[in-house]
Amino acid sequence: MDGLFDLDLGPGETRRPSVLVVDDEPSILSALRRMFRKEDIDVFTAGSGAEALELLAGQPVDCVISDMRMPEMDGAQLLEQVRNLAPQTVRILLTGHADTASTIAAINRGQVSRYVHKPWNDNELVLVVREGLQTKWLAEERERLEELTRAQKEELTRLNAELEDRVKARTSELAQTNSFLELAHKDLRTTFLNAVRSFSTLIELRSPAIAGHGKRVADLARAMATKLGLSPSDQQDIVFGALLHDIGKIGMADADLEHSWAKLDLPARKRLQSHPHKGAAALMGLAELKNAATYIKAHHERWDGAGFPLGLAGEEVPVGARIIAICEDFDELQIGLLTGSKMTAAQAREVVLRGSDKRYDPKLIEIFEAVLDDPNWSSERGRFVGTEALRPGMVLGRDLHAASGVLLLAAGFKLDEPMIRQLREFELAEKKPLAVAVMDAQPLAQQSPAQQQQGQQMAQEQQQQ
């Protein structure tokens, strides 16, 4: 059971969970301490409610298990005070079968998480504690993600205000900057996307093998959703779901993430199968990600109904989840996460095609093939060129930022002559060259040596920024 109680408290901060056991009978305390001896968990004991409160004042814990009947301060009174001191602490009450009225009082006053009748079953009590700690972790993780989103929105709002003040103070020669700011800030979903991209890197920090996996899945999912003719809002929800499809793996043990699916034993596979539900639960408090959470929960369902967690089949599976399933497997086959050995893109494509009408929606497999065969689609997201090499019809392969960090144009924007002219005027006004990543760009062989050298230099500078 090693690792089952490990808590991941965010980047750079981990610790073992802790439990405080409170009972006026030393034999009960000894029994409970022995019960947790094999678990990766810190156990503290207290012989009375007053002693427990004194310990909590200097040593916060994740879970309190208290007996109901104790002199001076009973379990209901203690858990009520624990609730006031640390509302997030998991509260569990041990009661006798004759303590019904007291148990009801504890539920009403202390809002206990669970109550367990004495004598207890060790395995049952361990499971109760484990479920309580997992629920506590999910709530804390959701709050952390929401706080991160709020902080990034506030910072972007502050930067926007500063930039607008600078634009107003400039001469008419810089008036074109306003059009970029209006375009960049017209839709608040652009701001939210930046936060989502930050979330998508959290799981990738756990394993170098999956670096960039979420981005690649999202790129292919966006291309499929576009070719399918879905609305822009539906496309964006699918991209959010693709970027965050593995976020439920954040709290899992490293051993479960370091091996391919083919090399995992049955218990590890079952643990890994819980990540769609955990990922959806972590995002349930964010209204902007409601649809994405639905796709995350269902992205391991299958067209033939043999998937998980709900065994949905056919069009019962949301279309966004069906798209993400194809894109995820296509990328994981290439990086070796499914079979343990890496495949070429052509080999991975053949494996995915064989899953048509079984794992995948056959109509979406046709869309998948059409995207891969489309010469305008590229997983490389274009090459860097200078503004003098831009031509109408080119599509941005990456977000375009000014040297100050301000977003000028989002990835996927199709350039026309007026916008190219504005970019060149902005570049002259700022006196800093722009490096633009485009698809359908002028072939490198057709560029002059000066253009090639300038493009390489600007690419290096932009990557450093």
Side-chain angles (χ1 to χ4, degrees):
M1 302 181 71
D2 291 343
L4 290 177
F5 283 94
D6 287 344
L7 291 181
D8 186 349
L9 304 178
E13 184 182 1
T14 59
R15 66 170 172 80
R16 298 200 315 171
S18 56
V19 172
L20 170 62
V21 181
V22 188
D23 199 298
D24 61 329
E25 297 184 27
S27 61
I28 298 294
L29 295 178
S30 298
L32 289 170
R33 179 180 285 278
R34 285 196 302 273
M35 183 184 71
F36 288 111
R37 183 174 297 168
K38 295 182 180 180
E39 309 298 338
D40 191 14
I41 189 171
D42 293 326
V43 180
F44 304 94
T45 60
S48 66
E51 184 180 345
L53 293 175
E54 182 178 353
L55 187 148
L56 287 171
Q59 175 65 56
V61 299
D62 298 298
C63 175
V64 175
I65 305 174
S66 175
D67 186 30
M68 182 62 213
R69 293 190 175 185
M70 295 188 297
E72 298 181 5
M73 182 187 301
D74 62 23
Q77 294 170 323
L78 170 61
L79 294 182
E80 181 180 8
Q81 294 199 43
V82 172
R83 174 198 170 198
N84 295 332
L85 289 172
Q88 298 299 326
T89 301
V90 179
R91 300 177 291 280
I92 299 174
L93 185 69
L94 297 178
T95 72
H97 287 281
D99 294 335
T100 302
S102 301
T103 301
I104 294 174
I107 293 174
N108 292 334
R109 292 159 51 193
Q111 294 187 1
V112 299
S113 305
R114 292 281 293 274
Y115 65 89
V116 178
H117 286 299
K118 297 167 62 179
W120 64 85
N121 177 280
D122 285 357
N123 290 333
E124 177 185 352
L125 185 52
V126 168
L127 287 174
V128 167
V129 173
R130 184 185 305 157
E131 290 173 358
L133 292 174
Q134 289 175 342
T135 300
K136 177 177 182 287
W137 180 87
L138 285 173
E140 291 174 346
E141 183 66 5
R142 185 178 63 191
E143 291 178 1
R144 191 181 69 81
L145 291 174
E146 290 174 345
E147 179 58 32
L148 177 61
T149 302
R150 287 193 294 269
Q152 291 187 338
K153 283 186 176 181
E154 290 174 0
E155 178 64 12
L156 287 169
T157 300
R158 183 186 66 80
L159 290 173
N160 292 344
E162 291 180 359
L163 288 168
E164 288 175 357
D165 290 340
R166 287 176 55 197
V167 169
K168 291 178 181 178
R170 291 188 178 188
T171 64
S172 58
E173 186 179 351
L174 300 178
Q176 293 295 332
T177 306
N178 286 319
S179 63
F180 292 124
L181 293 173
E182 292 172 0
L183 182 62
H185 307 142
K186 183 180 294 183
D187 191 351
L188 290 178
R189 293 178 69 86
T190 301
T191 300
F192 196 76
L193 177 59
N194 291 333
V196 171
R197 286 172 175 165
S198 297
F199 301 159
S200 71
T201 63
L202 295 178
I203 183 61
E204 296 179 4
L205 294 176
R206 298 285 303 279
S207 174
I210 59 175
H213 171 62
K215 178 77 164 55
R216 293 191 298 272
V217 173
D219 284 346
L220 182 54
R222 183 197 295 274
M224 287 184 61
T226 301
K227 191 168 287 289
L228 190 60
L230 299 181
S231 68
S233 62
D234 288 340
Q235 293 179 34
Q236 191 67 82
D237 288 336
I238 290 173
V239 169
F240 286 158
L243 285 169
L244 301 174
H245 71 277
D246 277 340
I247 198 169
K249 295 180 181 178
I250 290 178
M252 294 187 172
D254 289 340
D256 292 343
L257 302 178
E258 292 173 352
H259 302 292
S260 67
W261 175 263
K263 294 182 180 179
L264 294 176
D265 57 22
L266 184 58
R269 289 187 177 188
K270 288 185 176 181
R271 289 193 294 272
L272 200 61
Q273 285 178 341
S274 68
H275 86 268
H277 176 76
K278 290 181 178 179
L283 302 178
M284 67 174 58
L286 300 175
E288 289 279 356
L289 295 177
K290 179 181 179 181
N291 292 333
T294 301
Y295 303 152
I296 290 170
K297 186 173 183 178
H299 78 279
H300 278 294
E301 303 288 357
R302 290 171 47 127
W303 183 253
D304 60 9
F308 60 88
L310 301 178
L312 303 179
E315 295 188 358
E316 291 178 335
V317 184
V319 65
R322 282 180 267 152
I323 290 174
I324 293 171
I326 294 172
C327 302
E328 178 190 32
D329 287 357
F330 179 64
D331 192 70
E332 288 191 348
L333 286 166
Q334 294 177 74
I335 61 178
L337 281 185
L338 288 182
T339 64
S341 59
K342 297 181 180 181
M343 296 184 180
T344 65
Q347 291 171 331
R349 175 176 177 168
E350 182 61 30
V351 172
V352 172
L353 295 185
R354 290 201 297 267
S356 178
D357 207 29
K358 296 186 286 291
R359 294 184 65 89
Y360 315 116
D361 180 348
K363 293 183 179 179
L364 290 181
I365 288 296
E366 295 177 3
I367 298 294
F368 168 71
E369 287 195 277
V371 169
L372 295 188
D373 291 335
D374 187 346
N376 293 322
W377 184 82
S378 170
S379 61
E380 295 299 324
R381 309 304 295 154
R383 68 165 62 89
F384 285 104
V385 299
T387 56
E388 79 288 343
L390 298 178
R391 300 292 182 269
M394 290 181 174
V395 177
L396 292 188
R398 309 183 188 186
D399 292 344
L400 176 62
H401 294 82
S404 62
V406 178
L407 177 65
L408 301 179
L409 295 173
F413 186 90
K414 187 173 183 179
L415 295 173
D416 54 20
E417 192 62 48
M419 182 54 66
I420 293 173
R421 185 168 56 254
Q422 290 184 59
L423 288 172
R424 291 169 178 167
E425 292 174 357
F426 178 80
E427 185 178 61
L428 289 173
E430 290 288 315
K431 297 181 180 179
K432 292 183 179 179
L434 292 172
V436 188
V438 295
M439 295 179 289
D440 274 339
Q442 179 184 7
L444 192 61
Q446 298 178 15
Q447 296 182 20
S448 68
Q451 289 176 329
Q452 294 180 30
Q453 182 178 1
Q454 184 182 22
Q456 292 171 357
Q457 180 179 355
M458 290 191 295
Q460 294 174 355
E461 293 176 352
Q462 182 141 325
Q463 289 170 347
Q464 292 173 354
Q465 293 171 1

